[in-house]
Amino acid sequence: MRKRLGMITPSSNSVLEPVTSAMLAGVSGVTAHFSRFRVTEIALDAAALSQFDASVMLPAADLLADAKVDAIAWNGTSASWLGVGRDRSLCEAITARTNIPATTSTLACIDAARALGARRVGLVSPYTDDVQRRIADVWAEEGIAPHAERHLGLRDNFSFGEVAPSTITDMIRAVAAEGADAIVILCTNLDGAALAATLERELDIAVLDSVAVTLWRSLCLAGGDVTALAQWGRIFQTMPNIR
C-alpha cells in the first residue's frame, strides 16, 4: 500500500524538501508531503524561541492530515535546545488532533542513536556557541552526552542551507577523529544526507543526518520498509525497538 509521509517544515529551509524527495525517488509507493510555518533564525532570545510555539505548528499538521498522511514529522531540531519534552508534547497534540502517529527530527535522532547502540555521539551543527551548549545539556538529559562537537556559529536559518558539503564533511571527520562512534548532523537545513553512506564506509562509524533520520523514523511509524533506503546509510538497515 502507498505510504504518505507528512513533514512540517521551517519556512526558510531549502534543503529538507529536495533531499527527502531525492531519497524517495527510487522507492515505490512512498511519497512525502510538506507544510510550512515561519522560521527564520535560530537563537535563544525570546523572539527566536517563540517561532516554535505549538500554536503555529499544529495548524501545519492539520493541513497535512487533509492529505491523509500515515505519519507526521516536525522536520526540525528545535527541541534539541528547547527541551525534548516540547517535542513529546507536540507529538501527543498532533496525534490527539489528527489520529496520526507523529515524531520529530530531534526524537528521531535520539531514537537512531539508541537503536544503533551509540555510546560516544558527536554533534555537527551550524548553530551559535550558546545554542550548541544548550543542545549538549538537553541531549545529556536524555542520557546522550555529546562526546565531541563542531559548529559554525551561524544564526540565519537560510544560511544553513548554503553551507558547502565539503565543510560538513570536514566537520564530521574532525569529530570522528576525537573518538565518536556515531555522528549526528543536527540540522534539517544542512545538506548532509548524501554524505552519510560514503563517510560511514571511510570512517567506520554511523553518520546520522537529521533529514535522513526523520525520514527513517517517519517511514517506521507509517509501517513502511526502511530497508528500501539502505543505500543512504546504516540507519536504514535498523528498526527501532520502540513503537
Side-chain angles (χ1 to χ4, degrees):
M1 293 179 62
R2 181 181 177 189
K3 301 296 183 183
R4 301 178 182 89
L5 308 178
M7 305 292 182
I8 302 173
T9 306
S11 61
S12 53
N13 187 308
S14 63
V15 168
L16 76 86
E17 288 167 303
V19 167
T20 301
S21 297
M23 293 180 72
L24 292 176
V27 180
S28 177
V30 183
T31 55
H33 309 272
F34 305 91
S35 184
R36 289 178 179 248
F37 74 102
R38 186 169 297 280
V39 176
T40 60
E41 61 180 350
I42 302 302
L44 298 183
D45 58 78
L49 296 178
S50 69
Q51 297 172 114
F52 303 104
D53 190 272
S55 66
V56 297
M57 301 172 76
L58 290 171
D62 292 340
L63 296 177
L64 290 168
D66 289 346
K68 301 189 184 305
V69 296
D70 298 290
I72 294 175
W74 155 223
N75 211 322
T77 56
S78 56
S80 287
W81 57 90
L82 289 170
V84 175
R86 288 281 291 269
D87 270 6
R88 293 193 177 108
S89 295
L90 177 65
C91 291
E92 290 172 1
I94 289 172
T95 301
R97 290 164 73 106
T98 66
N99 200 34
I100 297 169
T103 189
T104 74
S105 296
T106 293
L107 294 176
C109 286
I110 290 171
D111 290 344
R114 289 173 174 163
L116 292 172
R119 297 182 180 277
R120 300 185 306 278
V121 175
L123 296 181
V124 167
S125 91
Y127 305 129
T128 56
D129 294 348
D130 55 346
V131 172
Q132 192 80 347
R133 286 193 297 269
R134 180 73 66 84
I135 290 169
D137 292 341
V138 168
W139 277 60
E141 290 172 359
E142 293 297 309
I144 307 176
H147 176 77
E149 63 86 18
R150 292 293 188 279
H151 61 283
L152 295 172
L154 302 176
R155 175 179 176 130
D156 173 60
N157 194 64
F158 178 80
S159 70
F160 305 164
E162 301 294 290
V163 175
S166 60
T167 299
I168 302 169
T169 296
D170 289 345
M171 296 166 74
I172 291 169
R173 286 176 175 150
V175 171
E178 294 189 25
D181 61 9
I183 296 172
V184 176
I185 305 172
L186 190 69
C187 176
T188 63
N189 203 21
L190 278 183
D191 195 4
L195 307 174
T198 298
L199 286 170
E200 285 180 337
R201 291 190 293 269
E202 173 191 329
L203 302 171
D204 194 25
I205 60 174
V207 177
L208 302 172
D209 173 76
S210 293
V211 174
V213 170
T214 304
L215 178 56
W216 163 78
R217 185 67 181 117
S218 299
L219 194 52
C220 289
L221 285 177
D225 178 15
V226 298
T227 63
L229 291 157
Q231 72 271 25
W232 290 90
R234 294 181 185 180
I235 191 58
F236 292 102
Q237 303 167 32
T238 308
M239 290 296 291
N241 188 26
I242 49 180
R243 291 191 298 167

